[in-house]
DNA sequence: TGATTTAGTCAACGCATGTATAGTATAATA
DNA sequence: TATTATACTATACATGCGTTGACTAAATCA
């Protein structure tokens, strides 16, 4: 059950007020800020409580507590992630010589044990993922059908869509100009590196 | 100028209350906790303010802000960028009620005076930019031919490709299912918000 | 020695504030 | 189709709450 636009606005105002003033706004202050009556503001706060985004201490002035305030919004909550120029066979993925830099992204964009950014080469997944994009990858040795994955074939890393069909692994490009790879499970030289969980493109 | 024993107790109670409840205690609640009259509690809070340990918003209920409560360190190489749920006409783009959260991204990804992330609605730029993507936008009032821009048309913000052709502004979607907009320069209700300099997609 | 600071009691004023009652209107849902 | 969720207006009530004035008493300061 998500929030409506208006409810999101109200929640943001409450958060901003706490950050700026140090304490939550009163019902009337919320109303004044949006130019609505206290009752309308009151109903919105009750809706936020019902949906679990806020905990109220009934009948207490400014008795609004925003749940997961730190987790979602405040910065200490950034995660440092290595940016890899390439993935090489043989060595561990996060070998020092592959790390181009360490960048800082919101923690909830990078959920998982081992997460890294990979500079994409080639257009086998165009237009979804383009040459030069940064792919956010979570290390994992298996994947579900349809996942976009990073796989290592001999000495070359590729990004393709992953399928498993009667004991065969299928790596299918979005771009039809490229060939679909099909191989038996356990084929030597093949290794699943991880799943692409995000794409960043600088224009 | 240090604190007395009693003042330290009061300050600790205020801190504990904020941590536990999510908002500061009222003067009366402080009094009740220590078994003293509101006036005595009031005087203590004023003493804490005088000594700089607390900032008060006079005449406001629970108007107590504890200073240096949450000192947060931010990575030097990171930049904090507001994430907007939408862009509204009339108000400034970075109006508080539009800010969903503040996220932290590498400084060199966000070069420019005013940069923000915008949650994309609709697929007019598919497959380049999809519904739900986050667009990194640099505020600017003009653009070059071919730039992907955020523009405000009356009350609605859209992302389109920008062209200028014989004193006309052309806003062209990548998705052919959408119409190309063509209007004279200076048409009222039209406003260029900024240029899309990056796209972030979570899969 | 008198003034200031600290720590209280007690009663009261008046605006702030959460909440209720009673409506209107629109869009989504079953 | 009836019903629920959303988003409001308008008025009002009772209590919450910051604040004040007046006063006591001990400790500390100049």
């Amino acid at each position: 059950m998500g929030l409506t636009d208006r409810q999101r606005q109200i929640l943001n105002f409450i958060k901003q007020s706490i950050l700026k003033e140090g304490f939550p706004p009163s019902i009337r202050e919320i109303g004044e800020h949006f130019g609505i009556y206290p009752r309308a503001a009151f109903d919105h706060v009750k809706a936020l409580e019902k949906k679990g985004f806020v905990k109220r201490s009934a009948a207490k002035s400014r008795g609004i507590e925003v749940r997961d305030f730190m987790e979602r919004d405040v910065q200490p909550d950034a995660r440092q992630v290595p940016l890899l120029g390439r993935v090489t066979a043989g060595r561990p993925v996060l070998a020092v010589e592959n790390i181009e830099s360490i960048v800082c992204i919101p923690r909830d964009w990078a959920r998982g044990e081992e997460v890294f950014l990979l500079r994409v080469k080639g257009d086998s997944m165009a237009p979804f993922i383009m040459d030069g994009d940064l792919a956010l990858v979570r290390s994992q040795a298996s994947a579900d059908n349809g996942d976009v994955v990073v796989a290592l074939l001999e000495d070359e890393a590729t990004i393709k869509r992953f399928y498993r069909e009667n004991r065969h692994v299928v790596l299918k490009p979005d771009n039809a100009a490229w060939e679909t790879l099909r191989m038996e499970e356990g084929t030597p030289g093949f290794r699943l590196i991880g799943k692409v969980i995000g794409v960043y493109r600088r224009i």
Side-chain angles (χ1 to χ4, degrees), chain A:
Chain A
M1 190 154 56
L3 294 178
T4 65
D5 279 1
R6 198 55 159 168
Q7 287 166 356
R8 169 130 272 138
Q9 287 174 40
I10 305 275
L11 180 60
N12 288 335
F13 175 69
I14 295 170
K15 286 180 176 178
Q16 295 298 320
S17 292
I18 294 174
L19 284 176
K20 216 191 293 171
E21 313 281 345
F23 48 89
S26 68
I27 295 291
R28 272 177 179 75
E29 284 167 357
I30 296 172
E32 276 159 32
H33 181 265
F34 290 99
I36 55 177
Y37 275 78
R39 178 65 212 233
F42 180 63
D43 283 346
H44 279 124
V45 174
K46 279 180 85 168
L48 285 172
E49 186 190 25
K50 199 174 160 192
K51 293 183 176 181
F53 288 81
V54 140
K55 205 180 108 192
R56 264 170 14 100
S57 298
K60 284 189 177 178
S61 67
R62 304 175 192 275
I64 306 173
E65 182 184 2
V66 176
R67 324 227 52 179
D68 306 327
F69 199 101
M70 303 297 183
E71 279 73 18
R72 280 182 212 167
D73 279 355
V74 182
Q75 295 62 48
D77 167 67
R79 179 169 180 181
Q80 293 181 345
V81 167
L83 168 58
L84 308 186
R86 56 176 191 170
V87 175
T88 43
R91 304 158 198 284
V93 182
L94 294 185
V96 209
E97 60 266 32
N98 295 340
I99 298 179
E100 273 189 22
S101 67
I102 306 254
V103 301
C104 167
I105 62 174
R107 185 172 298 276
D108 65 320
W109 293 11
R111 289 233 176 85
E113 291 276 316
E114 190 179 274
V115 176
F116 59 91
L117 281 163
L118 179 64
R119 193 175 297 282
V120 176
K121 279 166 196 159
D123 60 347
S124 69
M125 288 299 285
F128 190 66
I129 302 175
M130 313 282 278
D131 189 277
D133 285 2
L134 299 179
L136 187 63
V137 184
R138 179 174 60 221
S139 290
Q140 54 186 57
S142 64
D144 295 323
N145 277 340
D147 280 358
V148 179
V149 300
V150 178
L152 203 55
L153 290 162
E154 301 299 342
D155 216 20
E156 210 176 357
T158 54
I159 297 188
K160 295 269 184 325
R161 222 168 264 278
F162 178 91
Y163 298 92
R164 183 175 276 121
E165 288 171 2
N166 22 296
R167 300 204 177 171
H168 280 250
V169 165
V170 181
L171 294 178
K172 197 180 164 187
D174 274 14
N175 186 344
W178 290 70
E179 265 180 51
T180 295
L181 297 168
R182 197 178 305 263
M183 71 199 85
E184 280 184 54
E185 277 186 48
T187 299
F190 169 78
R191 186 172 141 222
L192 190 63
I193 299 293
K195 176 183 172 179
V196 176
I197 57 170
V199 180
Y200 186 77
R201 181 175 304 154
R202 296 167 75 178
I203 305 176

